Amino acid sequence: MNIEQLYNEAQKMSTASLRDEIVQNLYDRSHQLCKTGVSYTKSKRDTRTEKLDAIFTSPILGFPIMLIMLGTVFYITIAGANIPSSLIADFFGWLEQYITGAFTFLNAPDWLHGMLVLGLYRGTTWVIAVMLPPMAIFFPTFALLENYGYLPRVAFNMDRLFKKVGAHGKQSLTMAMGFGCNAAAVISTRIIESPRERMLAILTNNFVPCNGRWGTLIVFSSLFMAAGFTGGMKLFVSTASLVGIVLFGVLVTFFVSWILSKTALKGVPTHYTLELPPYRKPKILDTVIRSSLTKSWSVLMRAVKVAAPAAILTWVFANLYIGDTSILMYAVQFLDPFGKLLGLDGYIMMAFILGLPANEIVLPILLMGYLSTGSLTEVDSLVDLKAILIEHGWTWLTALNMMLFSLLHYPCGTTLLNIYKETKSKKWTFMAFLIPTVIAILVPLVITQSVKWFGWVI
């Protein structure tokens, strides 16, 4: 048998099942040797871990439990964030009166007050009011699951799926990090040793919603997806809508990973040997304080740094006129036909373009355009917000397309910068922008045209 024949034979034998069998045999042999040469007494803790793993990593129960856990975290976040967000917004609104009074006392020009207060101050305080309460709930809750030892079981369950699409099991951990911040998740892909599989994780991490998009998703799932429900049922429907959106993002992650692993990033998945740690009692106080203060504060400061200049730029565009029309409105009119094709409108498209630095400012920019105030605008309640949206032609289809576009569209400026730093490649940074942008356009386009084709009530 010549070298070429040997190579072909080796290629045929190099299957996923054969590799898994080799790893399993190595593990079984190691276990056999330890059993022969080492004697130990099994503790109650070991028995408890094995019993829990039989449930949490079960092929039948593992995934339903994951969905329940995910839904519970979202439910707690939604239920707990609304009141603190309103209180923080009210506080900043109260403080704005005194800041405006100071500008009046100093006889400051209107343009300076508009830029610094109506643009910069309102833009940054909106980000804080929208982001801080969900982060202060989401991060500690997620950290408690990690502290308890559950997240490694999630990685174990997801490994089978990621392996099928040509990716790495550790991608589930970086994907989980993306729920908090996609920019941080890109850095966390360093835990993946294979350059090919790390690139897959980087290019697809954007398909899980970061904290900057939670505000938008929560608001529209509450206003439109859960319309007609009240009390606990409204929270349940909102949570179910969010879980559905997240699951769709995960499916897109698998699909894009599979496509890339068959085309631009061909290769054989590497093995993922994961030693599951024992379950342990979470250090609740330490975990909550560390996650609430350290993680929430760092992400919030990053958001404020990029939101502040974007807020000023938006105010300038809305207050510079060519004839009787502002630059912002010229852009809206130009984008409107394309937006309508996707079931959106020009205001929404402009909000996403100006929201490139930070996803948190998309919604306030959208409101500013709708109300034609020339400043980032607060509304008194979600009821007022819904009335404004309906007045501008919104339906459940508009809200659905808005949520999907928010989920799938290009990464924020900070994430793109981190991608470039991690890959050192303009090509892959551009691909990280292009792939989600194309998908974000195609999905609403197909949904909108399908609804129109079948004549469904919208």
Side-chain angles (χ1 to χ4, degrees):
M1 185 178 289
N2 58 35
I3 295 177
E4 186 177 350
Q5 290 173 323
L6 283 172
Y7 175 78
N8 292 334
E9 192 67 26
Q11 285 288 93
K12 291 178 184 178
M13 293 176 64
S14 180
T15 62
S17 59
L18 178 62
R19 293 194 301 275
D20 289 342
E21 189 176 339
I22 292 172
V23 173
Q24 184 64 48
N25 286 335
L26 289 172
Y27 177 82
D28 290 341
R29 181 59 177 161
S30 300
H31 183 70
Q32 184 182 3
L33 291 172
C34 287
K35 194 174 181 181
T36 303
V38 180
S39 60
Y40 60 93
T41 304
K42 210 169 196 180
S43 66
K44 290 182 179 180
R45 185 178 180 182
D46 293 332
T47 305
R48 183 172 69 96
T49 295
E50 289 180 2
K51 288 181 178 179
L52 289 174
D53 277 344
I55 299 172
F56 289 142
T57 63
S58 165
I60 298 174
L61 298 176
F63 286 99
I65 291 174
M66 283 169 50
L67 291 179
I68 292 171
M69 290 284 191
L70 185 66
T72 302
V73 172
F74 291 160
Y75 186 91
I76 293 172
T77 302
I78 294 172
N82 289 334
I83 294 177
S85 287
S86 299
L87 292 175
I88 293 173
D90 290 342
F91 168 75
F92 284 128
W94 170 80
L95 190 60
E96 183 183 321
Q97 300 174 19
Y98 293 93
I99 296 174
T100 299
F103 273 80
T104 304
F105 177 77
L106 295 172
N107 292 318
D110 290 341
W111 67 265
L112 185 62
H113 173 265
M115 182 180 294
L116 295 182
V117 178
L118 303 183
L120 175 63
Y121 177 80
R122 286 190 178 180
T124 52
T125 56
W126 177 287
V127 170
I128 295 171
V130 169
M131 283 188 65
L132 185 57
M135 280 196 304
I137 297 171
F138 181 84
F139 281 150
T141 307
F142 215 76
L144 287 173
L145 291 177
E146 180 183 11
N147 215 232
Y148 180 66
Y150 179 69
L151 286 191
R153 274 75 188 176
V154 173
F156 179 85
N157 292 333
M158 298 292 286
D159 178 51
R160 287 168 282 181
L161 298 178
F162 277 110
K163 192 181 293 183
K164 288 183 183 296
V165 299
H168 197 286
K170 285 183 181 178
Q171 188 171 332
S172 60
L173 298 176
T174 64
M175 185 171 67
M177 177 71 76
F179 284 117
C181 176
N182 294 134
V186 168
I187 297 175
S188 74
T189 59
R190 294 174 183 176
I191 65 174
I192 302 176
E193 295 82 4
S194 164
R196 183 191 73 86
E197 290 165 344
R198 186 182 178 215
M199 188 64 71
L200 280 175
I202 289 174
L203 294 177
T204 58
N205 186 264
N206 184 67
F207 296 123
V208 293
C210 66
N211 196 75
R213 288 177 278 178
W214 282 124
T216 301
L217 296 177
I218 290 172
V219 165
F220 293 127
S221 66
S222 301
L223 290 182
F224 289 91
M225 302 299 114
F229 297 95
T230 57
M233 193 62 190
K234 183 169 185 175
L235 284 174
F236 175 79
V237 174
S238 298
T239 301
S241 302
L242 276 180
V243 172
I245 288 289
V246 170
L247 288 179
F248 182 74
V250 173
L251 288 176
V252 173
T253 299
F254 288 143
F255 177 73
V256 174
S257 297
W258 180 75
I259 292 293
L260 289 174
S261 68
K262 300 295 181 183
T263 54
L265 294 171
K266 283 183 180 179
V268 179
T270 56
H271 296 297
Y272 181 24
T273 304
L274 175 65
E275 181 179 353
L276 296 177
Y279 295 97
R280 54 190 179 273
K281 186 178 180 180
K283 298 177 181 178
I284 296 177
L285 187 62
D286 178 62
T287 301
V288 169
I289 292 176
R290 178 169 48 83
S291 297
S292 298
L293 297 181
T294 307
K295 291 185 180 179
S296 299
W297 182 257
S298 62
V299 175
L300 186 64
M301 286 301 98
R302 178 194 64 83
V304 168
K305 286 176 183 177
V306 293
I312 294 175
L313 183 64
T314 304
W315 185 89
V316 171
F317 284 167
N319 287 275
L320 282 180
Y321 283 78
I322 300 176
D324 296 328
T325 307
S326 67
I327 295 176
L328 185 69
M329 286 307 300
Y330 273 117
V332 166
Q333 292 167 7
F334 174 77
L335 293 168
D336 197 57
F338 179 69
K340 290 288 174 59
L341 194 65
L342 306 184
L344 303 171
D345 60 32
Y347 291 98
I348 299 173
M349 303 310 298
M350 174 51 62
F352 276 111
I353 292 173
L354 292 178
L356 173 64
N359 290 305
E360 298 82 9
I361 61 174
V362 169
L363 188 54
I365 290 174
L366 177 63
L367 282 176
M368 182 185 65
Y370 279 154
L371 297 176
S372 300
T373 61
S375 61
L376 291 169
T377 307
E378 297 279 6
V379 292
D380 294 331
S381 67
L382 289 180
V383 176
D384 294 337
L385 174 58
K386 186 172 184 180
I388 294 169
L389 297 176
I390 291 176
E391 187 179 329
H392 285 83
W394 275 56
T395 64
W396 66 265
L397 180 62
T398 315
L400 176 62
N401 287 330
M402 176 77 173
M403 292 171 71
L404 288 171
F405 195 90
S406 179
L407 171 75
L408 302 171
H409 79 293
Y410 45 79
C412 70
T414 307
T415 304
L416 287 172
L417 181 62
N418 278 5
I419 290 173
Y420 179 72
K421 287 181 178 178
E422 293 298 313
T423 62
K424 300 292 189 297
S425 168
K426 293 180 181 178
K427 168 194 166 184
W428 288 115
T429 304
F430 177 70
M431 291 299 293
F433 176 88
L434 181 64
I435 292 171
T437 301
V438 171
I439 295 175
I441 291 172
L442 288 178
V443 171
L445 177 65
V446 170
I447 291 175
T448 301
Q449 299 310 315
S450 298
V451 169
K452 290 181 178 179
W453 177 268
F454 289 105
W456 294 334
V457 179
I458 61 174

